[in-house]
Amino acid sequence: MERIDLPERPGWRDRAEELGFTFADMHGEPYWDETSAYGFGLAEVEEMIEDPATALHAMCREAAGHIIGSEELLDRLAIPAEHRDLIAESWQRGDPEIYGRFDLAHDGLGPSKLLEYNADTPTSLYESASFQWSWLQDQIEAGVLPAGSDQFNGIHEALVERFRSLFPPDTDLHFTAVGGNPEDYATVECMGWAARAAGLGAHYSDLEKIGLSREGQFLDAENRVIGTLFKLYPWEDLLRDDYARHIRGSNCLMLEPAWKAVLSNKGLLPVLWQMFEGHPNLLPAFFEADVAAGGPAVERAAEALRRGHVVKPLFSREGASISILEGGQVTEASPRDDYAGHPRIVQAYHPLPVFGGFRPVVGAWIVGETCVGMGLREDRSRITQDLSRFKPHFVREEKA
């Protein structure tokens, strides 16, 4: 793994605007940044990112069944009691999943470490699946990258196949996100693009325009019944909305499914450690109350936690309300405290690699149950946040 300075493509911002990538710059700062890129070896990607991420997903599915079958764990993950049957039924039916993204600490020297799993509403999909692929093609054509360069990026193709495998041709799917958010819309449109390529209908409505029929079915902005809904709206919020009481009787298949609520929760991390303690791709993690109480598992991880640990709320996005402690002192904390009121977990601190003063996090994309691509974000901060920069990557041609 290396970070290489490269010339930007002439006129790329105009091209981004034409394609609807209107958030390539945000708040006066670059979000998409192609002044440099990360290069990887093929074996490194396959053996240290792709295969481990696929294995981690299988572990997460095993953990999902374990959590859903335990009232104690559902309590600890703060899953509302009134909607636990919805989640359990979704799991028992085998409601299909579409995608997710693991955030990994990776330096190319040792095993990648799971920082968290964005299992329900991960964004940066358009940048990962589409815009960085066009960057690669343009830079090869311009001679900036060697002709044999590649990219770990089968995300769009995998989404097309996933939709095709789940739904008969011409099935109508609906897609929704909160209106007025260009990044969320780009993610939903990327999904709709894949569905249309799979021969399905794809209809979009802003979340706030979805209604309810007298018969209890969800309706889109044109009063069409919604049979399948991809919602870029997190389960932790939806399950606390008044509309949640209508889901079970709506006969609407939700994507991501309700059972993903137990995976898009940082309480997953201590459950994984409890189930697979010592796994090379996991970091020691515990519910905060368990660290205070002690016990054999905490003692085994005590030295790692003393060196440094990260405190994370069960629900947190873009690094909000996360803090890093080293030697018992807070050495870095997010300036945002949006999620400070939630219960917390403690995870051993694993430093991110540093390249030119920036710390990258690898986002390993799962479609179905397999890792199919990646995208990287970097920041000078040790906590990846909403304005952390997206960086393209390439895989170097293997020498014979």
Side-chain angles (χ1 to χ4, degrees), residues 130-322:
S130 180
F131 204 71
Q132 72 164 341
W133 180 255
S134 65
W135 167 86
L136 176 75
Q137 299 301 303
D138 290 345
Q139 296 292 49
I140 291 173
E141 185 177 341
V144 173
L145 292 175
S149 300
D150 202 354
Q151 191 173 88
F152 179 35
N153 189 358
I155 303 169
H156 173 71
E157 294 79 5
L159 286 170
V160 173
E161 287 306 310
R162 183 63 174 162
F163 281 119
R164 185 178 287 133
S165 72
L166 292 175
F167 302 101
D170 299 322
T171 300
D172 280 331
L173 307 185
H174 284 78
F175 298 81
T176 191
V178 174
N181 186 315
E183 184 178 6
D184 285 2
Y185 182 75
T187 297
V188 171
E189 179 54 31
C190 204
M191 281 286 180
W193 175 29
R196 288 188 288 271
L200 309 176
H203 310 288
Y204 174 81
S205 286
D206 287 341
L207 183 69
E208 53 271 27
K209 294 180 181 178
I210 291 178
L212 193 70
S213 74
R214 290 190 182 91
E215 295 75 27
Q217 295 175 297
F218 292 116
L219 304 173
D220 69 9
E222 298 178 26
N223 285 324
R224 292 174 295 201
V225 172
I226 300 174
T228 301
L229 179 64
F230 176 89
K231 44 126 212 93
L232 198 71
Y233 186 63
W235 275 109
E236 68 259 27
D237 292 337
L238 179 54
L239 293 180
R240 288 161 176 80
D241 285 351
D242 183 58
Y243 261 70
R245 62 191 173 92
H246 299 293
I247 295 173
R248 286 183 76 190
S250 68
N251 199 30
C252 178
L253 173 64
M254 293 285 187
L255 304 174
E256 294 296 294
W259 61 263
K260 276 288 191 83
V262 304
L263 298 187
S264 61
N265 180 310
K266 291 179 182 61
L268 168 69
L269 299 171
V271 174
L272 285 173
W273 186 252
Q274 180 187 55
M275 295 177 67
F276 305 102
E277 182 177 341
H279 190 282
N281 299 117
L282 296 178
L283 294 167
F286 304 91
F287 292 101
E288 191 173 42
D290 291 345
V291 175
V298 174
E299 283 303 311
R300 288 192 292 272
E303 181 55 35
L305 296 178
R306 272 194 292 269
R307 285 196 302 270
H309 61 269
V310 184
V311 178
K312 301 178 176 183
L314 294 181
F315 310 114
S316 174
R317 295 178 184 276
E318 305 291 2
S321 304
I322 288 176

Side-chain angles (χ1 to χ4, degrees), residues 21 23 31-32 124-132 183 390:
F21 188 13
F23 52 98
Y31 166 63
W32 170 272
S124 77
L125 180 64
Y126 172 75
E127 304 91 306
S128 299
S130 180
F131 204 71
Q132 72 164 341
E183 184 178 6
F390 190 98

